[in-house]
Amino acid sequence: MKKVKVAVIGCGSISDIYLSNITSGKFQILEAVACSDIFEEKAKASAAKYGIKAMTLDEICADKSIEMVINLTIPAAHYSVIKQCLLAGKHVWSEKMIAVELKEGKELVKIANETGCMLGVAPDTFLGASCQTAKYIVEHGMIGTPVSA
């Protein structure tokens, strides 16, 4: 199986679980090759910890071997980061929302469709302990029947 070469953009605390899972082989189709952060020292620390390259966003976008970007930046940066990656031909997976403004989100979907890139998004750490615990509690009837959330 050909592995998809992935770069993580945003080396905050949540990046550790992503990079740990990818580099441990938990997601066998993915190969982490690079990371980036606006704070260069964070990118360098993550790169050293996981045996990958610290790169700028521009370098990641220019690198033809990198096929996918995992965007873990702050929500205010999502639109510009995702747009740059899509225009560079990268598939993008983003935590939280794809953009703060609906108009920008619609533009990103249009760009993804035009470039043939996949664009995925998930709520904040949907595989994290809090969401998984809430799911378990509801599924096991521990709180009765939820009427709203």
Side-chain angles (χ1 to χ4, degrees):
M1 159 183 23
K2 178 187 172 287
K3 292 191 174 205
V4 176
K5 294 185 184 301
V6 176
V8 170
I9 300 178
C11 295
S13 59
I14 195 62
S15 67
D16 273 331
I17 193 66
Y18 276 88
L19 288 167
S20 175
N21 284 337
I22 295 168
T23 58
S24 72
K26 195 172 223 178
F27 298 98
Q28 295 179 5
I29 194 169
L30 302 177
E31 178 184 354
V33 296
C35 64
S36 180
D37 197 280
I38 60 170
F39 300 107
E40 189 178 342
E41 64 278 2
K42 280 185 162 186
K44 286 181 178 178
S46 289
K49 182 175 181 178
Y50 294 103
I52 59 179
K53 288 193 257 182
M55 300 172 77
T56 67
L57 175 58
D58 289 341
E59 290 170 332
I60 288 169
C61 287
D63 188 326
K64 298 296 182 203
S65 72
I66 297 172
E67 302 165 79
M68 179 181 159
V69 167
I70 296 174
N71 181 19
L72 304 176
T73 62
I74 62 170
H78 283 201
Y79 169 75
S80 61
V81 168
I82 293 171
K83 183 176 181 178
Q84 184 174 346
C85 292
L86 290 172
L87 290 172
K90 310 294 182 201
H91 304 292
V92 180
W93 168 262
S94 187
E95 282 259 338
K96 306 169 200 94
M97 70 288 292
I98 58 173
V100 176
E101 299 294 327
L102 179 60
K103 177 180 157 188
E104 293 174 340
K106 287 181 176 183
E107 180 186 351
L108 293 175
V109 170
K110 183 176 185 264
I111 293 169
N113 288 332
E114 289 170 350
T115 60
C117 292
M118 290 184 264
L119 174 59
V121 64
D124 189 22
T125 55
F126 75 101
L127 291 177
S130 61
C131 289
Q132 293 302 305
T133 299
K135 179 178 181 271
Y136 178 87
I137 288 169
V138 170
E139 286 177 345
H140 288 84
M142 297 170 74
I143 61 167
T145 303
V147 294
S148 70

